[in-house]
Amino acid sequence: LTHPSSFGSPAAAGPALAPLPPDHRRVILASSLGTVFEWYDFFLYGALAVVLGRHFFQGVNETTAFIFALLAFAAGFFVRPFGALVFGRLGDLVGRKRTFLITIVLMGVSTALVGLLPNYATIGVAAPIILIGLRMLQGLALGGEYGGAATYVAEHAPDGRRGLYTSWIQTTATLGLFLSLLVILLCRWATGDDFEVWGWRIPFLVSVVLLAISVYIRLQLEESPAF
């Protein structure tokens, strides 16, 4: 057992107060930014559920369309555990870095396709079916991304600092929500009345830019030392 006096000693506190090595800061930043962008893509749908209900669930009253839109939103949460299982296993087989790239590309592409998807008036019932499918792909990607990011960062952390390193991943959901709301507000301001017609697509298409940034940053990372 450690002597009680050692708990408050500078020697015990020293490792926790030491500055993070530059390569570890890069790992934390890249993992956190990528996860922020994934949460941004995931939360866009929820913030724009009313608008999406009007475009993709027509033929029913507005309240029913909104309920259907929320059910499609829930589908993304339903498949998240399966994404964690699938991509968690894949990370063990092919590596954390490759799995990172797969999940970020899957999320970015599926989100961008929502922004390009024709509405119910154009292609009929295929529109909500494709939308739900894209929503489920988002859920799979996020399920794999969130746990994978925490694992990747934890495997870089030295003893005594895993909580500090992985705590950054826990901030990403809130930051992603704030980013999605900020982009939506800017698009509403820029497009005015046209936001309800076509401006709502812009936040989804912005994910292409975020995807390019995420892929570029993650390509600079090395594979997890534990793997």
PDB file of all heavy atoms in Angstrom, residues 5 34 40-41 46 51 55 77 83 98 161 170 178:
ATOM      1  N   SER A   5       1.013   9.819   2.964  1.00  0.00           N
ATOM      2  CA  SER A   5       1.608  11.121   2.703  1.00  0.00           C
ATOM      3  C   SER A   5       1.979  11.316   1.239  1.00  0.00           C
ATOM      4  O   SER A   5       2.162  12.429   0.769  1.00  0.00           O
ATOM      5  CB  SER A   5       2.864  11.295   3.567  1.00  0.00           C
ATOM      6  OG  SER A   5       3.828  10.298   3.219  1.00  0.00           O
ATOM      7  N   GLY A  34     -12.502  14.810 -35.689  1.00  0.00           N
ATOM      8  CA  GLY A  34     -13.246  13.881 -36.526  1.00  0.00           C
ATOM      9  C   GLY A  34     -14.558  13.474 -35.898  1.00  0.00           C
ATOM     10  O   GLY A  34     -15.590  13.378 -36.573  1.00  0.00           O
ATOM     11  N   TYR A  40     -21.767  16.371 -35.764  1.00  0.00           N
ATOM     12  CA  TYR A  40     -22.389  17.436 -36.553  1.00  0.00           C
ATOM     13  C   TYR A  40     -23.316  16.825 -37.601  1.00  0.00           C
ATOM     14  O   TYR A  40     -24.488  17.213 -37.730  1.00  0.00           O
ATOM     15  CB  TYR A  40     -21.306  18.277 -37.220  1.00  0.00           C
ATOM     16  CG  TYR A  40     -21.800  19.144 -38.363  1.00  0.00           C
ATOM     17  CD1 TYR A  40     -22.329  20.405 -38.114  1.00  0.00           C
ATOM     18  CD2 TYR A  40     -21.738  18.701 -39.690  1.00  0.00           C
ATOM     19  CE1 TYR A  40     -22.790  21.201 -39.162  1.00  0.00           C
ATOM     20  CE2 TYR A  40     -22.194  19.481 -40.731  1.00  0.00           C
ATOM     21  CZ  TYR A  40     -22.724  20.730 -40.454  1.00  0.00           C
ATOM     22  OH  TYR A  40     -23.190  21.508 -41.490  1.00  0.00           O
ATOM     23  N   ASP A  41     -22.799  15.873 -38.353  1.00  0.00           N
ATOM     24  CA  ASP A  41     -23.618  15.209 -39.378  1.00  0.00           C
ATOM     25  C   ASP A  41     -24.830  14.523 -38.758  1.00  0.00           C
ATOM     26  O   ASP A  41     -25.942  14.568 -39.302  1.00  0.00           O
ATOM     27  CB  ASP A  41     -22.770  14.179 -40.121  1.00  0.00           C
ATOM     28  CG  ASP A  41     -21.679  14.820 -40.958  1.00  0.00           C
ATOM     29  OD1 ASP A  41     -21.767  16.030 -41.211  1.00  0.00           O
ATOM     30  OD2 ASP A  41     -20.745  14.108 -41.354  1.00  0.00           O
ATOM     31  N   GLY A  46     -31.788  15.861 -36.737  1.00  0.00           N
ATOM     32  CA  GLY A  46     -32.692  16.188 -35.641  1.00  0.00           C
ATOM     33  C   GLY A  46     -33.078  17.647 -35.633  1.00  0.00           C
ATOM     34  O   GLY A  46     -34.243  17.997 -35.398  1.00  0.00           O
ATOM     35  N   VAL A  51     -38.427  20.373 -41.211  1.00  0.00           N
ATOM     36  CA  VAL A  51     -38.261  20.661 -42.636  1.00  0.00           C
ATOM     37  C   VAL A  51     -38.196  19.368 -43.443  1.00  0.00           C
ATOM     38  O   VAL A  51     -38.825  19.234 -44.501  1.00  0.00           O
ATOM     39  CB  VAL A  51     -36.996  21.505 -42.867  1.00  0.00           C
ATOM     40  CG1 VAL A  51     -36.793  21.768 -44.361  1.00  0.00           C
ATOM     41  CG2 VAL A  51     -37.080  22.819 -42.108  1.00  0.00           C
ATOM     42  N   HIS A  55     -40.653  17.650 -46.643  1.00  0.00           N
ATOM     43  CA  HIS A  55     -40.129  17.319 -47.963  1.00  0.00           C
ATOM     44  C   HIS A  55     -40.190  15.828 -48.282  1.00  0.00           C
ATOM     45  O   HIS A  55     -40.355  15.459 -49.443  1.00  0.00           O
ATOM     46  CB  HIS A  55     -38.678  17.795 -48.080  1.00  0.00           C
ATOM     47  CG  HIS A  55     -38.543  19.269 -48.322  1.00  0.00           C
ATOM     48  ND1 HIS A  55     -38.592  19.822 -49.586  1.00  0.00           N
ATOM     49  CD2 HIS A  55     -38.374  20.302 -47.466  1.00  0.00           C
ATOM     50  CE1 HIS A  55     -38.455  21.129 -49.503  1.00  0.00           C
ATOM     51  NE2 HIS A  55     -38.317  21.455 -48.222  1.00  0.00           N
ATOM     52  N   PHE A  77     -30.254   6.109 -34.042  1.00  0.00           N
ATOM     53  CA  PHE A  77     -29.859   5.699 -32.695  1.00  0.00           C
ATOM     54  C   PHE A  77     -30.013   4.190 -32.510  1.00  0.00           C
ATOM     55  O   PHE A  77     -29.222   3.563 -31.809  1.00  0.00           O
ATOM     56  CB  PHE A  77     -30.703   6.429 -31.651  1.00  0.00           C
ATOM     57  CG  PHE A  77     -30.322   7.864 -31.466  1.00  0.00           C
ATOM     58  CD1 PHE A  77     -30.984   8.862 -32.159  1.00  0.00           C
ATOM     59  CD2 PHE A  77     -29.294   8.229 -30.605  1.00  0.00           C
ATOM     60  CE1 PHE A  77     -30.634  10.193 -31.999  1.00  0.00           C
ATOM     61  CE2 PHE A  77     -28.943   9.544 -30.434  1.00  0.00           C
ATOM     62  CZ  PHE A  77     -29.605  10.535 -31.139  1.00  0.00           C
ATOM     63  N   GLY A  83     -23.296  -0.656 -35.053  1.00  0.00           N
ATOM     64  CA  GLY A  83     -22.099  -0.031 -35.596  1.00  0.00           C
ATOM     65  C   GLY A  83     -20.912  -0.196 -34.672  1.00  0.00           C
ATOM     66  O   GLY A  83     -19.786  -0.441 -35.125  1.00  0.00           O
ATOM     67  N   ARG A  98      -7.443   2.546 -40.089  1.00  0.00           N
ATOM     68  CA  ARG A  98      -8.265   2.207 -41.251  1.00  0.00           C
ATOM     69  C   ARG A  98      -9.751   2.260 -40.910  1.00  0.00           C
ATOM     70  O   ARG A  98     -10.565   2.734 -41.717  1.00  0.00           O
ATOM     71  CB  ARG A  98      -7.899   0.813 -41.754  1.00  0.00           C
ATOM     72  CG  ARG A  98      -6.517   0.714 -42.373  1.00  0.00           C
ATOM     73  CD  ARG A  98      -6.246  -0.686 -42.882  1.00  0.00           C
ATOM     74  NE  ARG A  98      -4.910  -0.814 -43.447  1.00  0.00           N
ATOM     75  CZ  ARG A  98      -4.415  -1.935 -43.934  1.00  0.00           C
ATOM     76  NH1 ARG A  98      -5.164  -3.036 -43.939  1.00  0.00           N
ATOM     77  NH2 ARG A  98      -3.192  -1.980 -44.429  1.00  0.00           N
ATOM     78  N   ARG A 161      -2.949   8.648 -17.310  1.00  0.00           N
ATOM     79  CA  ARG A 161      -3.500   9.783 -18.052  1.00  0.00           C
ATOM     80  C   ARG A 161      -4.595   9.374 -19.038  1.00  0.00           C
ATOM     81  O   ARG A 161      -4.990  10.163 -19.887  1.00  0.00           O
ATOM     82  CB  ARG A 161      -2.384  10.513 -18.802  1.00  0.00           C
ATOM     83  CG  ARG A 161      -1.212  10.897 -17.926  1.00  0.00           C
ATOM     84  CD  ARG A 161      -0.340  11.939 -18.554  1.00  0.00           C
ATOM     85  NE  ARG A 161      -0.948  13.251 -18.507  1.00  0.00           N
ATOM     86  CZ  ARG A 161      -0.320  14.380 -18.896  1.00  0.00           C
ATOM     87  NH1 ARG A 161       0.908  14.310 -19.339  1.00  0.00           N
ATOM     88  NH2 ARG A 161      -0.922  15.543 -18.822  1.00  0.00           N
ATOM     89  N   GLN A 170     -15.320  12.904 -24.935  1.00  0.00           N
ATOM     90  CA  GLN A 170     -16.651  13.092 -24.348  1.00  0.00           C
ATOM     91  C   GLN A 170     -17.221  14.479 -24.641  1.00  0.00           C
ATOM     92  O   GLN A 170     -18.426  14.703 -24.488  1.00  0.00           O
ATOM     93  CB  GLN A 170     -16.593  12.864 -22.831  1.00  0.00           C
ATOM     94  CG  GLN A 170     -16.057  11.501 -22.420  1.00  0.00           C
ATOM     95  CD  GLN A 170     -16.824  10.363 -23.028  1.00  0.00           C
ATOM     96  OE1 GLN A 170     -18.042  10.385 -23.055  1.00  0.00           O
ATOM     97  NE2 GLN A 170     -16.122   9.347 -23.514  1.00  0.00           N
ATOM     98  N   PHE A 178     -23.528  22.038 -31.158  1.00  0.00           N
ATOM     99  CA  PHE A 178     -23.375  23.486 -31.303  1.00  0.00           C
ATOM    100  C   PHE A 178     -22.984  23.861 -32.734  1.00  0.00           C
ATOM    101  O   PHE A 178     -23.491  24.835 -33.294  1.00  0.00           O
ATOM    102  CB  PHE A 178     -22.325  24.019 -30.328  1.00  0.00           C
ATOM    103  CG  PHE A 178     -22.792  24.062 -28.898  1.00  0.00           C
ATOM    104  CD1 PHE A 178     -21.888  24.110 -27.846  1.00  0.00           C
ATOM    105  CD2 PHE A 178     -24.144  24.067 -28.585  1.00  0.00           C
ATOM    106  CE1 PHE A 178     -22.318  24.151 -26.527  1.00  0.00           C
ATOM    107  CE2 PHE A 178     -24.597  24.103 -27.278  1.00  0.00           C
ATOM    108  CZ  PHE A 178     -23.673  24.154 -26.247  1.00  0.00           C
TER     109      PHE A 178
END
